[in-house]
Amino acid sequence: MEMRDFVVRFAGEGGQGVVTSAEGLAQASTQVGYHALTFATFPSQILGGPTWTQARISVDPVRGPGDAVDVLVAFNREAYDNHQGEVKAGGVIIFNSNDFELDGDSRGVGLPIDQLAKSTGNNRAANMVVIGALAHLVNMPKEYLDEFVIKRFTRGRASDEEIIKSNILAMTLGREHVSASEFSLGELAPSQPPDGDQLMLKGNEALSLGAIAAGLQFYVGYPISPATPILLYMERNLVGEGKFAYQVSSEIESITTVLGAGFAGKKAMTASSGPGISLMSEGLGLGWMAEIPCVIVDVQRGGPATGLPTKTEQSDLLSCMWPAHGDVHLPVIAVGTVEECFYGAVMALNWAERYQGPVMLLSEMSLAERAQNIPKPDLSKIMVESRDVYQGSNGYQRYAGRELSAMPLPGRPGAYVANGSEHDDIGDTTHLAERHVQMTERRFSKLKLLEENLYERDKPESPVAVVPWGATKGPAREAYDKLIEAGVDVGWYYTMLLNPMPPKMLEELRRKELVIVPELNYQGQFGSILRSLGVKAESITQYTGLPFKVSDLVSRISEMANASQREMVRA
Amino acid sequence: MEMRDFVVRFAGEGGQGVVTSAEGLAQASTQVGYHALTFATFPSQILGGPTWTQARISVDPVRGPGDAVDVLVAFNREAYDNHQGEVKAGGVIIFNSNDFELDGDSRGVGLPIDQLAKSTGNNRAANMVVIGALAHLVNMPKEYLDEFVIKRFTRGRASDEEIIKSNILAMTLGREHVSASEFSLGELAPSQPPDGDQLMLKGNEALSLGAIAAGLQFYVGYPISPATPILLYMERNLVGEGKFAYQVSSEIESITTVLGAGFAGKKAMTASSGPGISLMSEGLGLGWMAEIPCVIVDVQRGGPATGLPTKTEQSDLLSCMWPAHGDVHLPVIAVGTVEECFYGAVMALNWAERYQGPVMLLSEMSLAERAQNIPKPDLSKIMVESRDVYQGSNGYQRYAGRELSAMPLPGRPGAYVANGSEHDDIGDTTHLAERHVQMTERRFSKLKLLEENLYERDKPESPVAVVPWGATKGPAREAYDKLIEAGVDVGWYYTMLLNPMPPKMLEELRRKELVIVPELNYQGQFGSILRSLGVKAESITQYTGLPFKVSDLVSRISEMANASQREMVRA
Amino acid sequence: MSKKNPEYDFKWCPGCGDFGVRRSLELAMIDHLEESGLPMENNVVVAGIGCSGNLVHLLEGPQPYGFHGIHGRSLPIALGVKMARPELNVVVVAGDGDFLSIGGEHIGPQASRNLNVCAVVMDNGVYGLTKGQSSPTTKLGEITSSTPYGKIEMQQNPLELYLTLGVSFIASGFSGQPRLLANLIKQGMDHPGFAIVHVQSPCTTYNDTFEQIKGDAKKGIEPSLWQIPDEHDATDRASAYGLIQQGGLPVGVVYRDEARPALNQRLQESWEKARSRTTEELMKAFEF
Amino acid sequence: MSKKNPEYDFKWCPGCGDFGVRRSLELAMIDHLEESGLPMENNVVVAGIGCSGNLVHLLEGPQPYGFHGIHGRSLPIALGVKMARPELNVVVVAGDGDFLSIGGEHIGPQASRNLNVCAVVMDNGVYGLTKGQSSPTTKLGEITSSTPYGKIEMQQNPLELYLTLGVSFIASGFSGQPRLLANLIKQGMDHPGFAIVHVQSPCTTYNDTFEQIKGDAKKGIEPSLWQIPDEHDATDRASAYGLIQQGGLPVGVVYRDEARPALNQRLQESWEKARSRTTEELMKAFEF
Ligand SMILES: Cc1ncc(C[n+]2csc(CCOP(=O)(O)OP(=O)(O)O)c2C)c(N)n1
Ligand SMILES: Cc1ncc(C[n+]2csc(CCOP(=O)(O)OP(=O)(O)O)c2C)c(N)n1
Ligand code: SF4
Ligand code: SF4
Ligand SMILES: [Mg+2]
Ligand SMILES: [Mg+2]
């Protein structure tokens, strides 16, 4: 039968080629026009340790890593034991017969990975052996893979030809070895190459690129999983005159340094994860109070406290929206796909410049470590905003009025004191009631500048809607499509803009009988925020450190939708 | 006419006796059975600077400093200019005629304060001159005041007699000087001495005493207005074997040190204000995660950031309830009166021991600096709780199960690792999904242990209710009583317990058509929390840095109440 | 901006040492500008929280830019300002509590980086603005509002700390000598690296050390203040260490190392190894 | 608790220096207990966050109490444990990043207080757990994942820092000498005040310094490690300072001052001036 989509999980020890095989497969597939997504997990130790990576190859754009595994590639016995349960009925298990023997599992195909690789004279071709084997299972034409290998290893070196030969041989050996066994999954439908260039990258990389595309000039950070790759990317690439990327001594330094740079006129950003974001609390309040543009990225991991550094969760929403004492309410943009990592970062920088204050950009471990092909952003189409800079002479009242005003640039006329105490128009500290009223209203009025009606919706007429946020978008949308197929009457709303929310979307949600919010936290954080905004929201929560399974969402959403339908009938 | 209550505002330069006069009047009045409340404001500079203190004397228990001023005592011209507008119609202004002359204000009575004091041969008796003058205005019997002076200055010293004489003389001079002018406010009704002993103290002092009464053993803090007095009180009084009170190097040290002490078996507490609380964010999450009993006091001031150190506000509620990243939801007790400062502290310590985690105790600048007479707490009636200590042998699983378990005491069998990463039963770090689910549910299940139906209510049958929190209780209740007199149909609910809220109270509020929440912040923080809990709440907000005026609340509440009545009729 | 702004109502107590520091800073900034020919707006004063930090609102004459943030964070804010705009003259003003206690963590990193800013620390051995609690420089045994039975921890020695952390310019001064102090601050501004001018600026209300510093012949009190002799070789780390060990309040330049490149200079150099790419070029790496 | 707990799945890399530190700590604790006759539960190990801090879960044999909190806060947590229960033996284990970077602010205060705990700092000159970024002890110019063009800030000298801050017991050791190291840690535990045992514990994965420390005759590499001679007078601050200036990796006790009273002792003394009152008595002050 024809397949549009298949999922392979590679499991073994760190260092056995688990990751390179997954990425190789993904690259091979994307190069011949398929869509691919890989999701890597971390072993909790530094070297070795059990690890696995999943690759999903599809004719259509991919939304998530996928629930059920079609093929498990088990590099060792432990991997087999831990993952064989995930293999769906009719699935196949390729096991490294150089490492262990497997009897009594009818799904098993032994593949002497190391030995076959060796026989090609190129030990590093082990992953090609595996890829060849997989290609056979889904009947991927040999030409496809050869093409990929040729492309990949044509680097204008003398050794090219030889390497290409050995790799093609490795794939062929893998292919033949498996074809000997009668196993097959079916026929992968021919690829429908997306038009336009594509990029294959991870969420953290897309986010970094987006920030740079929006004109980022200044970045400081402190290492923390899963945000560290952003720091490393910036230190390598945000270089040259007028740029600065640096590792500071703590997240307290990160946020206050970023505030200094934002004040001095730069587009500045820092990224961290839960514990680091909590340390920034006081500094975030200062940014709001002194009106300093900057972007703070929270690549969420499992919490609280040191929590679960290598797991994914969506539990920082409340503390990012209200991060500090006093009346502070920060803008929040939460990205849901690798592509949104790019465009969300662009928006976050634009928002910071537009309203002159800190913007929280929420990502998640599951996005940060997900590699995926996305349409290459067209920079000429990206609208980049910069703050309104004061151009006049001295004697300027930087904080005058109840609304946004132009921001002076140190070195130029317009000197004032950026002040974290309540202040008057020129930034001197004051305690007068009228001032506190004026400045409080001024700070909140600026949020209005960020109200944009950017959101997705389907079946707006339905009284029930599914409204996920962040990376739950992927599985939620897969589930939603299935529910629609099944004829369930339910609408779909999604936005990256969690504060301020798109006013029209909020209006529509307020009219719903029930708004179902699937989210990866215990408290149902977004659900409770929606309720406080007058929406009849109920959350579907999960707090396992893992993303939702599509199948779980399908059943839990339809349950809730039907229940409310029954109620409506009764009423 | 007979008065049950009068309000005097003393205004001048720091150092002119503004505070001593107010406190003297309050003490004199309480000693003869009246109720008294004084409220001091801070000048923004250290020495001198304009300042004022208000005293309210009443036959009945006092709820707040009072809106309108009956008598203004102006020690200098600036004070007159700034405060004369607050004097109610028919009020009197006593001005220091040694400092300035006042013509064209029919309310003014000149009093040569310094000169009269000098003439008694005791310059320090200036405040007695003022008190005598005030006593005359409300017709307070001379014996009352003489009695007070005698009590106060009888200290078994040779000089007693002389000092008493000069003070009594001072009062007489003040009295006579004003009686010469025909001014009078009326007759203060005879006092109705409360039965039982009374204490006259400030909110911070009551809170400190309450904590000590509940068995506090360990206190660290870092200076910050308006919480510093708690630190100083503890350093002076929390001494002796097994006790520790100390100033540490920052609020980050405060919270983490307190966690160490709570882990080691002590009842531990720290106090700060907004900026310091924000710095504790990460540590608070750790306390929740590792399950460490401790109490954190937030004496709220104006925010955000450094904000308004000497002003009052109720804007830290959201950030205290959700102080950190991850699924953290801390218990919150907010006190509303000086007396509640005492009992709220007792409860906070009990809660911390009962559920084994951090408890947030919210106070406010306006309570911290308010001196008031309260019934002396009967220690024999105070129920003090202590954590359930593990008594068994080694091999204990401290974090086993989905509910509270006994806490081991270092030094005794039951060794485990208190862990801020997700952990298993013995406290070792783990990433297993089941564990994160178990421990998350365990942490939240413990909040159930704190559900108590302690709340005030009046007219529960009314579809509309006023539900203030914290120190807004005072003016809100005064306003409520006036509304009831005026025949407005509105109910009253109040509790110190903001998380978890009394379940019965929450149930009742959910059935209301409208719940009106007066609170001192811009966002309407408690209102939005109530809405997220399914209550039709709307806030009345004020963000001036000052407490509500009763008159404002009367009009704003009745407006809202009537509006909703009309709607209900329409519906 | 006191003179010009009635709404700003904080005032230093009469006799407060901070008056002298303000004057010195005004003089130093003006000197510095006259040399550079740049306008006052080229100066950024990053202030800590305390009576000391309030200096940023009390400067008279032409106004520099200011950043008055949160307690203890003036150094990292200054790091951000300076590395964003190396052409700006960035000055930090902070108190002993702000700089050495809650903000103490930031000194070492800026010293290691040799961040090119000048920090003026106003040390009064007490927390002034919060009314008299002990600070890291409050002496062992002293009674303050927060040490009712005497302080039970040792005081810090800031000068030795700076030297150990690698601060490349260290001066010590007294608020009672505004012109001399102005000169030290000016040198600190001119120094191509991290400069700290540590100033004894007595708190006349909570910890009046004027007498002890200046001495009183009548009462037979020796002054703790002493001028650093010209012979002192400030470029020699060992001599600097020895000088600090002598105690008292030395006035002058304790240590200076002008050879060490500042952070922005080292950064420039490191770029030679780097290649700056356009966004388009960066995206290329992810094409396939 | 590795051996006993399959659920705990973190493992140090083969050859990691931390194995040796763990062994040393186990030996030192056992020694200490045999002398005191107290059970293992009398020990509390407060751990930082890092490969190093994970030691608290990897101890074998009888288990002490542990507190594995948040990054950089092991010292203030230890302050709380120790001042709550002075009879407990409190040990801190942390990495160079945890202890000197984000946690650096807490060293000075504990030194000034002379808090009676023993801190074992596992210095590998890198951030191990986060996979190889630079730390305060990473050398200037070194290339790490976070310094792709070479580190542009100076490394810190922890031993000199401890001495300057007033740490009253300072030892320096090497994870490759477990018995020697155990002895130093034991001395640190016995020391009546704040003790720091600074250990070179190489990260074989991201910064393998074993060769540089132990030297390699064949390659003509001199060992950086040298034993502190018996003549060294550790009670003399100046000699300690001089010793540190010699550089390399000295092994032994660098400095010790047993005369200085520890915080809990000074606290006891201060109580003589104080009067402890019952709640009833305290309330009296507010009666009228
Ligand atoms: C996070 C935080 N904690 C505490 C405070 C309260 N506070 C304001 S100034 C100050 C210390 C002032 O002492 P110092 O830095 O020596 O300055 P000085 O007033 O003596 O000049 C403190 C603790 C604060 N504003 N923020
Ligand atoms: C507030 C916070 N910031 C960052 C991190 C991430 N983090 C975990 S361990 C570590 C540093 C580890 O280096 P080190 O202290 O030297 O220990 P090592 O792993 O080298 O033994 C960091 C930055 C964290 N857990 N918490
Ligand atoms: S309190 Fe001290 S430091 Fe503050 S202004 Fe007054 S004298 Fe100066
Ligand atoms: S990364 Fe380095 S420090 Fe961490 S376990 Fe491996 S070798 Fe040890
Ligand atoms: Mg000071
Ligand atoms: Mg390290």
Side-chain angles (χ1 to χ4, degrees), chain A residues 45-47, chain D residues 10-19 50-52 54 122 124 126-132 201-207:
Chain A
Q45 66 204 61
I46 310 292
L47 291 186
Chain D
F10 175 85
K11 288 197 195 72
W12 283 314
C13 307
C16 173
D18 296 350
F19 284 102
C51 295
S52 40
N54 286 346
M122 297 148 83
N124 53 13
V126 73
Y127 284 9
L129 192 61
T130 47
K131 307 198 164 175
S201 178
C203 169
T204 45
T205 298
Y206 297 113
N207 186 31

Side-chain angles (χ1 to χ4, degrees), chain B residues 42-47 49-50 222-225 228 231-232 235-237 239 244 246-252 275 279 301 305-306, chain C residues 9-11 13-14 49 51 69-71 73 97-98 101-102 127-131 133-135 145-149 152-153 205-206:
Chain B
F42 291 108
S44 54
Q45 67 203 62
I46 309 293
L47 290 186
Y222 187 75
I224 186 168
S225 309
T228 307
L231 170 64
L232 304 190
E235 286 185 305
R236 179 167 295 284
N237 297 301
V239 295
F244 187 62
Y246 204 69
Q247 174 184 329
V248 289
S249 72
S250 76
E251 292 84 353
I252 289 183
L279 271 176
R301 64 192 215 182
T306 306
Chain C
D9 55 2
F10 175 86
K11 289 197 194 72
C13 306
I49 305 295
C51 296
I70 46 180
H71 191 35
R73 312 305 167 190
D98 185 281
S101 180
I102 193 169
Y127 284 10
L129 193 60
T130 46
K131 310 199 159 171
Q133 299 79 29
S134 71
S135 89
S145 69
S146 66
T147 54
Y149 311 117
I152 61 176
E153 70 185 65
T205 298
Y206 297 114

Side-chain angles (χ1 to χ4, degrees), chain A residues 39-42 226 299-301 309-313 363-370:
Chain A
F39 177 68
T41 62
F42 291 108
V299 186
Q300 297 168 92
R301 64 192 216 182
T310 61
K311 296 296 172 183
T312 205
E313 200 160 270
S363 179
E364 295 158 49
M365 188 276 179
S366 63
L367 282 178
E369 289 305 321
R370 170 188 305 175

Side-chain angles (χ1 to χ4, degrees), chain A residues 4-7 25-38 55-64 140 188-200 339 371-375, chain C residues 288:
Chain A
R4 298 190 65 78
D5 166 290
F6 80 104
V7 174
L25 175 65
Q27 274 163 354
S29 314
T30 49
Q31 282 196 9
V32 296
Y34 289 103
H35 295 272
L37 179 153
T38 62
R56 186 176 186 179
I57 310 300
S58 171
V59 176
D60 318 296
V62 186
R63 297 187 174 284
M140 210 189 257
L188 184 63
S191 67
Q192 297 161 5
D195 35 16
D197 296 345
Q198 300 269 313
L199 303 180
M200 178 86 186
E339 193 173 9
Q372 189 169 2
N373 64 303
I374 67 167
Chain C
F288 51 84

